């Protein structure tokens, strides 16, 4: 008999899939509208669009498996070799890629606020190169899931393990370092610099300061990166060092982790004025947006 706790986790996982897919698709749609198409002036948008796509993929890995296993007695990892390999791969590749994209977003924000002139990292083509390198490197790092993980047992069933090595918890240790610890250190360093320059900017009284235009998007991305660290670290630690703990408890930590990947849209709405204005203009509520905006708001022209 399925426990109440398991039912709650399973239904919450399904809710995350539905809500997260809709919100991330909306985020991607808004960030692709004409107002945000000038990526030569706004290279950070490349990161934000890519993160919206990866955040959606994240919800269809083990998060989907949590629902199907409990509610439908359907095991994705044992359905076929293809599903086993893909789910195992995407469940590590997507969060690792998302984490490192956020590292470079933090670096980009720091450089935008601390430098008066555009740097190499502020070039749109270079940003695309960085994103491509991140994806290729992490794809290669996790390629072993397609090559060596998941196989048929003698009785015809599928194992999600490997004949060559103990993939779990070995890869959970690797993931903790690649997805959490190293990005955590780098993001804290860069975001500390961002916060420092935001404090300095707050004291700036001249609106001609070119860096004032970076303030809103910088605050938005600092919040999202710190939430990423706070919401993903507990699950990574739990699976790396307490994999023998209660399965429902581990799924609870996983649900907390996956909750992060539906938060981009509400966070952008709350902290990114241009995104909010564009979203509201789509549904025809421009007057409502004007009522909630401060009269002294500085228009943001570039990121």
């Amino acid at each position: 008999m399925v426990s109440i706790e398991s039912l709650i986790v399973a239904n919450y996982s399904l809710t995350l899939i539905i809500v997260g897919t809709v919100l991330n698709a909306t985020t991607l749609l808004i960030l692709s509208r004409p107002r945000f198409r000038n990526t030569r002036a706004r290279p950070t948008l490349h990161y934000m669009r890519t993160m919206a796509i990866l955040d959606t993929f994240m919800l269809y890995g083990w998060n989907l498996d949590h629902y199907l296993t409990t509610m439908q007695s359907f095991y994705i990892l044992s359905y076929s070799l293809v599903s086993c390999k893909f789910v195992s791969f995407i469940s590590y590749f997507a969060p690792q890629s998302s984490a490192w994209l956020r590292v470079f977003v933090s670096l980009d924000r720091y450089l935008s606020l601390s430098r008066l002139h555009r740097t190499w990292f502020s070039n749109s083509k270079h940003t695309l190169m960085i994103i491509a390198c991140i994806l290729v490197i992490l794809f290669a790092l996790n390629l072993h899931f397609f090559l060596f993980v998941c196989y048929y047992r003698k009785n015809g069933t599928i194992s999600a393990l490997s004949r060559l090595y103990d993939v779990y918890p070995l890869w959970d240790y690797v993931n903790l370092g690649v997805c959490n610890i190293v990005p955590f250190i780098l993001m804290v360093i860069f975001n500390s610099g961002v916060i420092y320059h935001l404090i300095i900017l707050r004291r700036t009284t001249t609106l001609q300061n070119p860096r004032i235009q970076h303030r809103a998007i910088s605050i938005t991305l600092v919040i999202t990166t710190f939430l990423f660290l706070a919401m993903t670290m507990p699950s990574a630690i739990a699976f790396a060092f307490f994999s023998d703990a209660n399965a429902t408890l581990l799924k609870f930590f996983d649900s907390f982790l996956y909750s992060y990947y539906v938060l981009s849209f509400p966070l952008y709405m709350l902290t990114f004025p241009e995104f909010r204005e564009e979203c509201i203009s789509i549904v025809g509520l421009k007057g409502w947006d004007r009522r909630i905006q401060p009269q002294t708001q500085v228009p943001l022209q570039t990121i």
Side-chain angles (χ1 to χ4, degrees), residues 133-151:
C133 287
I134 290 173
L135 297 180
V136 168
I137 291 172
L138 292 175
F139 180 90
L141 179 66
N142 293 282
L143 184 61
H144 66 100
F145 282 105
F146 289 116
L147 301 177
F148 308 120
V149 177
C150 299
Y151 64 91

Side-chain angles (χ1 to χ4, degrees), residues 134-201:
I134 290 173
L135 297 180
V136 168
I137 291 172
L138 292 175
F139 180 90
L141 179 66
N142 293 282
L143 184 61
H144 66 100
F145 282 105
F146 289 116
L147 301 177
F148 308 120
V149 177
C150 299
Y151 64 91
Y152 283 108
R153 299 187 183 96
K154 292 182 179 180
N155 61 5
T157 60
I158 295 175
S159 170
L161 304 178
S162 173
R163 289 193 178 98
L164 302 180
Y165 53 94
D166 294 328
V167 64
Y168 307 109
L170 171 63
W171 211 246
D172 290 319
Y173 297 144
V174 174
N175 185 63
L176 181 62
V178 173
C179 185
N180 297 97
I181 295 178
V182 176
F184 170 79
I185 295 172
L186 294 176
M187 278 192 254
V188 166
I189 293 172
F190 296 139
N191 283 335
S192 296
V194 170
I195 293 171
Y196 168 78
H197 286 286
L198 285 174
I199 293 173
I200 299 300
L201 261 180

